Amino acid sequence: MTHILFQMPVINSTYKASFPFNNVHFNTVFRTFFTHDKVQFSRERIELKDGDFLDLDFSEVNSKTIVIALHGLEGSSESKYILAITNILNQNNVDTVAVNFRGCSGEDNRLLSSYHSGKTEDLEAVIQYIDKFRSYKNIIILGYSLGGNVTLKFLGEKNTNINSKIKCAIAISVPCDLTGSSIELAKTRNKIYMNRFMITLKQKALGKLNKFPNSFLDKDTITKAKNFYDYDNLYTAPAHGFLNAEDYWIKNSSKPFLKDIKVPTLLINALDDTFLSKECYPIEIAKKHKYLFLETPKNGGHVGFNSKIIGKKGYWLENRIAQFLKEYV
């Protein structure tokens, strides 16, 4: 059952969830446990201006088009949705590069700071690297969840100053309003997801404390953290120059930047996504927008949108992404 009271999609979605995918939690976790895509990535490391690095995983089929794929919170190039879209795009003669955010490639990043929901400068560094060392005609940005927020915020920030090779963008299951999403994720129905996030986030924070013992981090505060409010107050905000969790959420939510996007952009947010608050569905903005296409299927879960237990025909999301890409490349 959806927790959003409205159903006013700007685009009438073709996604229909039959049993068992009409169960939001099954749809959300299905990929993690039941899909088994494999990709032979080629890794390249780029050095960043602040002394840190990013690991990029390429899967190339000699195309003139590349999709930059950005994973969600605590994901990586090995996230099931990244592997699935990489294979589908390669089959459609499109190259991909999966960006591993700082500290997500299997190796800790060098600095006390790492990645966060609005760190658009790292995406810009990736685009500049690809533009310098590859000869692509078309660049597409694809972001999931946190990566989707980075994508949308970046597009709004750059506005008309964006690289002309960027032809379109796609954002999936995006917490456009970080405050609202953080409140939703702290609720009991999302406890299993929150606990999973907190395990790795706290491990990373403790790792930072070991590496930077004289920093502001405190072991007791880290171990007691229960949700994003706690974690963003104890680590994300102070490590990245924000006053507190609320300041971080307000300044890095992509929703205020949507109006300034000047590149065709598809945003797919399922109405039953338990990670999202009602503020994460920018219907009124999309209605008046020339470039933002909002698709809000009744079902889909969080980065789910599965339609079949076995076989590639169940990959509605990947095929929808490929379809949108073809309209602008």
Side-chain angles (χ1 to χ4, degrees):
M1 190 168 80
T2 62
H3 70 285
I4 303 298
L5 298 179
F6 54 80
Q7 188 179 347
M8 299 167 58
V10 175
I11 294 177
N12 290 318
S13 182
T14 61
Y15 179 71
K16 307 298 179 194
S18 57
F19 180 83
F21 296 114
N22 54 356
N23 179 293
V24 60
H25 297 296
F26 184 81
N27 210 341
T28 297
V29 304
F30 176 78
R31 290 172 185 273
T32 301
F33 296 106
F34 298 106
T35 62
H36 306 285
D37 286 90
K38 302 291 183 183
V39 177
Q40 287 294 114
F41 284 120
S42 174
R43 177 162 291 187
E44 296 180 23
R45 176 165 293 186
I46 66 173
E47 295 293 329
L48 302 170
K49 292 178 181 178
D50 61 6
D52 218 336
F53 68 90
L54 286 174
D55 285 331
L56 309 183
D57 287 330
F58 287 85
S59 182
E60 297 170 295
V61 290
N62 197 29
S63 173
K64 288 295 182 183
T65 300
I66 188 166
V67 169
I68 300 172
L70 308 176
H71 62 76
L73 182 66
E74 290 303 274
S76 72
S77 62
E78 293 298 316
S79 293
K80 295 297 185 72
Y81 51 88
I82 297 291
L83 297 175
I85 192 59
T86 297
N87 280 332
I88 294 292
L89 290 175
N90 286 171
Q91 290 164 19
N92 281 272
N93 193 37
V94 176
D95 290 355
T96 65
V97 57
V99 178
N100 294 282
F101 290 128
R102 303 188 192 208
C104 294
S105 66
E107 180 179 338
D108 190 21
N109 65 306
R110 298 177 187 135
L111 306 182
L112 174 61
S113 60
S114 57
Y115 73 104
H116 65 72
S117 297
K119 202 169 182 65
T120 53
E121 57 266 37
D122 285 358
L123 173 55
E124 183 161 24
V126 172
I127 294 168
Q128 290 172 348
Y129 177 84
I130 290 171
D131 205 15
K132 182 176 180 180
F133 295 104
R134 297 291 199 280
S135 57
Y136 288 107
K137 185 178 178 182
N138 311 300
I139 297 174
I140 315 300
I141 307 173
L142 167 63
Y144 296 84
S145 196
L146 177 148
N149 190 76
V150 172
T151 298
L152 297 174
K153 181 171 177 279
F154 171 80
L155 296 172
E157 285 174 343
K158 299 305 289 185
N159 196 266
T160 55
N161 295 319
I162 200 161
N163 187 311
S164 61
K165 291 183 180 180
I166 298 174
K167 299 301 195 296
C168 67
I170 304 105
I172 310 298
S173 301
V174 183
C176 304
D177 184 279
L178 296 175
T179 301
S181 180
S182 296
I183 291 170
E184 291 300 319
L185 275 158
K187 292 181 178 178
T188 303
R189 67 179 174 203
N190 286 317
K191 188 173 182 179
I192 189 171
Y193 308 118
M194 179 60 74
N195 287 346
R196 188 174 179 184
F197 283 135
M198 293 309 297
I199 288 170
T200 59
L201 288 171
K202 289 199 281 190
Q203 286 174 345
K204 285 185 175 180
L206 290 170
K208 293 295 185 187
L209 176 59
N210 289 334
K211 188 183 286 190
F212 301 97
N214 297 319
S215 69
F216 56 82
L217 290 168
D218 173 74
K219 184 176 182 180
D220 190 50
T221 306
I222 294 170
T223 55
K224 288 181 178 178
K226 295 180 179 179
N227 51 44
F228 290 155
Y229 180 82
D230 295 340
Y231 182 79
D232 289 340
N233 263 324
L234 72 89
Y235 173 71
T236 313
H240 299 95
F242 302 105
L243 296 175
N244 49 37
E246 291 96 333
D247 183 51
Y248 159 60
W249 295 340
I250 291 169
K251 290 178 178 176
N252 291 282
S253 293
S254 61
K255 192 172 184 179
F257 296 90
L258 297 180
K259 66 183 187 305
D260 297 318
I261 291 176
K262 293 292 190 293
V263 172
T265 300
L266 174 65
L267 169 58
I268 304 177
N269 277 359
L271 294 178
D272 68 347
D273 190 334
T274 62
F275 288 34
L276 307 182
S277 67
K278 67 179 187 297
E279 292 83 11
C280 296
Y281 300 85
I283 290 175
E284 292 306 315
I285 295 173
K287 280 182 177 179
K288 304 170 185 175
H289 210 297
K290 184 178 178 181
Y291 298 98
L292 180 65
F293 301 90
L294 176 63
E295 188 166 341
T296 57
K298 179 181 177 182
N299 302 106
H302 190 73
V303 194
F305 306 100
N306 302 284
S307 54
K308 195 173 182 181
I309 295 290
I310 300 172
K312 301 296 183 187
K313 290 182 180 179
Y315 283 8
W316 177 88
L317 180 59
E318 287 71 28
N319 292 319
R320 179 70 182 99
I321 291 167
Q323 177 191 34
F324 185 79
L325 189 156
K326 287 177 181 177
E327 293 176 18
Y328 294 96
V329 174

